[in-house]
Amino acid sequence: MQRVPRQCIDMMIPVLKHSPEDNAEKLISLLTSIRQSKVLSSSHRENVVIKRYAEIEVSSHEDKWIYRFKHPATGRCTQPGECGFILKYDGDTYIDNYIVELVTESQYYIHQGVHYHDVISTRDMCVYGVGTLTLQDG
């Protein structure tokens, strides 16, 4: 089972504290319980949380999310650009129907500033979303 990084939970709880959603308090309570569990959560030494480096819109329903990341198993790298990977996002978040795919085709990486090493796999990944908080005067 994939454990949730405490660092990620620590980013979600403050956002939920300002959320207008009716279930925000329940989610905060649940996340707090998960964070306190050694079975359900992990420290930064066990999981890596990577912030997206760039997002490129390919079409109205497809984006590329570019990440810079050198996996420890990569070793010494002599390829141009930075080590990393691209996730292809395809779908519509407004209807909660979308697919996130790890891109492994080398032509997808041309002119993106990163290159892919096949030591990264989807079974070792979990996408966490924190959301965006929009504040308005009122």
Side-chain angles (χ1 to χ4, degrees), residues 9 24-36 40:
I9 294 172
E25 286 300 319
K26 290 180 183 176
L27 288 171
I28 290 170
S29 176
L30 176 64
L31 288 170
T32 302
S33 297
I34 291 171
R35 190 186 191 294
Q36 293 169 349
L40 300 175

Side-chain angles (χ1 to χ4, degrees), residues 5 45 49 62 70 72 77 80-81 91 95 97 113 116 125 127 130 133:
R45 292 186 176 112
V49 176
E62 182 180 325
K70 184 172 181 185
C77 176
I95 58 173
N97 186 17
Y116 173 75
M125 299 176 122
V127 177
V130 176
L133 177 64

Side-chain angles (χ1 to χ4, degrees), residues 12-75:
M12 287 187 235
I13 290 175
V15 172
L16 286 169
K17 286 182 179 178
H18 298 285
S19 173
E21 297 296 324
D22 294 334
N23 61 352
E25 286 300 319
K26 290 180 183 176
L27 288 171
I28 290 170
S29 176
L30 176 64
L31 288 170
T32 302
S33 297
I34 291 171
R35 190 186 191 294
Q36 293 169 349
S37 169
K38 291 182 179 181
V39 174
L40 300 175
S41 67
S42 65
S43 72
H44 67 280
R45 292 186 176 112
E46 297 163 358
N47 284 333
V48 177
V49 176
I50 305 169
K51 184 177 178 183
R52 183 172 50 228
Y53 165 67
E55 180 174 349
I56 299 170
E57 185 175 333
V58 177
S59 69
S60 62
H61 288 287
E62 182 180 325
D63 292 332
K64 290 193 283 189
W65 296 343
I66 301 173
Y67 295 84
R68 293 176 176 168
F69 175 67
K70 184 172 181 185
H71 192 280
T74 302

